[in-house]
Amino acid sequence: MKALDKETAIARMNTFGRNGTPFLFVIDYMQEHSYVEPLDGIDASVCLYQFRGAGNAPDAGARYARTIDWEFTPPAPADYRRSFDTVRRNLLGGNSYLTNLTCKVPLRTNLTLKDVFLHSHALYKLWLKDRFVCFSPEIFVRMEEGRIKSFPMKGTIDATLPHAESILLDDAKEAAEHATIVDLIRNDLSMVSEHVTVASYRYIDRLQTNKGPILQTSSEICGMLPGDYTKRLGDILFSLLPAGSITGAPKPRTMQIIAEAEGYERGFYTGVMGCYADGRLDSAVMIRFIEQEDGQLYFKAGGGITAQSRWESEYNEVIQKIYVPIY
């Protein structure tokens, strides 16, 4: 698989869509490096994928029979707070309404990247040999029969807490964060489609993890695509990037704040991955992500910060997200 620059990736996706060629795409956060490969040309010894049950790994999802060793070194609270304070200062200054702050966490586990791919339970999974594994629950966009749909996911809580669902839905900070993202995604979809509507607002998803169940809130936003959309898949998709749910609003200024606050390169983490086949495009935001770097594993995780956020709560939410859905 050869990494492509943005212009080449867009042109390749447009050509594959025009010709009806099924293909896989993987795009990094900054859209500087992408993989766009015909499905029949993917080497399974280098790349495995499974999106909503379809992919090139028939044994994916097999039960993991061993005990999982899982230890990580969370960010030093003082370091996290410094990053949080940078974000909050910009929020209070009116430079952003919502900023997604993430971090890179050293991880020690007996699981290999391929183990995580083969045994985790997630809507969307991708493994690149000796690079990373992603097991994402978050849909980015789906295009089918002239319609585009997006499903932003914001708001997380431990499902075992008493009244967890009502606590999550009634949380003013979480509600404000979710409303901002829905508005951002609605505006993004309006750039490429018409008659954009919010079909479902703040519904609950339950996710199982190796540390127990969690609840997350999502919404569904829909629009009508132009008649020639299959010939312009690359143009349409890249115009929506990076995903609003992992940047914030307004997007360009918030990305500058993220670069200042985070102090590391996200790489493919929080990019998008997906497939196009039989006239349907399906994609996911690349969250829940483990990367291998010089023999060391790192889990990348984060969450949305608003002016109402408290750093302690956001710090704890990051730690809650450092899991694998193997059970």
Side-chain angles (χ1 to χ4, degrees):
M1 295 174 66
K2 181 181 178 181
L4 309 174
D5 61 32
K6 181 177 180 178
E7 291 72 21
T8 305
I10 290 172
R12 192 168 170 86
M13 291 180 69
N14 289 344
T15 298
F16 285 159
R18 186 181 306 115
N19 296 337
T21 303
F23 65 92
L24 170 79
F25 57 91
V26 188
I27 305 167
D28 74 349
Y29 165 65
M30 294 299 293
Q31 303 132 69
E32 295 173 340
H33 303 96
S34 302
Y35 298 106
V36 182
E37 297 289 337
L39 295 188
D40 61 7
I42 295 173
D43 182 351
S45 68
V46 175
C47 173
L48 294 172
Y49 69 95
Q50 187 180 56
F51 302 149
R52 290 203 289 165
N56 65 344
D59 54 346
R63 185 173 180 82
Y64 189 74
R66 299 168 57 194
T67 300
I68 297 174
D69 297 329
W70 187 258
E71 298 179 12
F72 57 89
T73 305
D79 292 341
Y80 181 83
R81 183 161 189 183
R82 274 193 294 272
S83 296
F84 177 91
D85 286 345
T86 297
V87 170
R88 182 170 170 78
R89 183 172 64 251
N90 279 279
L91 290 165
L92 295 177
N95 297 321
S96 178
Y97 307 107
L98 169 68
T99 300
N100 189 266
L101 178 64
T102 76
C103 49
K104 180 179 176 181
V105 177
L107 171 68
R108 296 173 299 280
T109 180
N110 59 336
L111 297 167
T112 65
L113 296 179
K114 193 170 185 179
D115 285 337
V116 174
F117 174 88
L118 291 174
H119 303 291
S120 61
H121 297 262
L123 272 180
Y124 300 89
K125 301 194 295 183
L126 175 72
W127 167 79
L128 288 186
K129 184 179 181 180
D130 298 329
R131 295 284 306 282
F132 64 79
V133 64
C134 181
F135 41 98
S136 177
E138 182 173 352
I139 305 161
F140 179 46
V141 294
R142 292 175 179 165
M143 303 182 209
E144 183 178 7
E145 297 180 347
R147 295 181 66 83
I148 184 169
K149 298 181 180 181
S150 187
F151 304 80
M153 178 180 287
K154 279 294 174 187
T156 304
I157 194 170
D158 181 347
T160 64
L161 293 174
H163 313 295
E165 182 170 332
S166 60
I167 291 172
L168 179 58
L169 291 176
D170 294 342
D171 188 300
K173 178 266 174 183
E174 297 288 4
E177 179 183 351
H178 198 95
T180 301
I181 282 300
V182 168
D183 189 54
L184 173 62
I185 300 301
R186 183 171 55 188
N187 289 337
D188 279 357
L189 293 194
S190 294
M191 295 189 302
V192 300
S193 64
E194 297 180 341
H195 310 298
V196 177
T197 59
V198 180
S200 184
Y201 187 70
R202 288 195 84 204
Y203 58 85
I204 295 285
D205 285 319
R206 183 183 180 92
L207 305 177
Q208 189 68 37
T209 83
N210 63 311
K211 299 192 294 184
I214 60 174
L215 301 181
Q216 294 195 301
T217 52
S218 299
S219 290
E220 178 183 348
I221 307 164
C222 306
M224 298 298 298
L225 289 162
D228 65 344
Y229 75 95
T230 57
K231 300 177 182 179
R232 299 193 289 117
L233 294 175
D235 293 305
I236 292 171
L237 192 73
F238 271 85
S239 68
L240 300 173
L241 296 177
S245 64
I246 48 73
T247 51
K251 197 183 291 185
R253 182 66 181 98
T254 301
M255 290 179 67
Q256 294 174 351
I257 297 166
I258 287 170
E260 178 186 356
E262 290 186 344
Y264 81 100
E265 296 295 327
R266 290 189 179 187
F268 280 93
Y269 169 57
T270 65
V272 299
M273 58 185 180
C275 275
Y276 175 76
D278 302 320
R280 296 186 296 273
L281 184 142
D282 193 10
S283 63
V285 183
M286 295 174 68
I287 59 173
R288 311 300 187 267
F289 189 98
I290 303 173
E291 187 165 23
Q292 183 172 311
E293 185 178 312
D294 297 326
Q296 171 66 52
L297 297 180
Y298 295 92
F299 200 114
K300 295 180 178 180
I305 312 296
T306 72
Q308 298 170 289
S309 296
R310 296 185 303 111
W311 79 266
E312 299 94 338
S313 297
E314 300 301 335
Y315 181 82
N316 290 332
E317 182 174 324
V318 169
I319 292 173
Q320 187 177 65
K321 290 176 178 175
I322 303 173
Y323 71 85
V324 283
I326 297 177
Y327 47 88

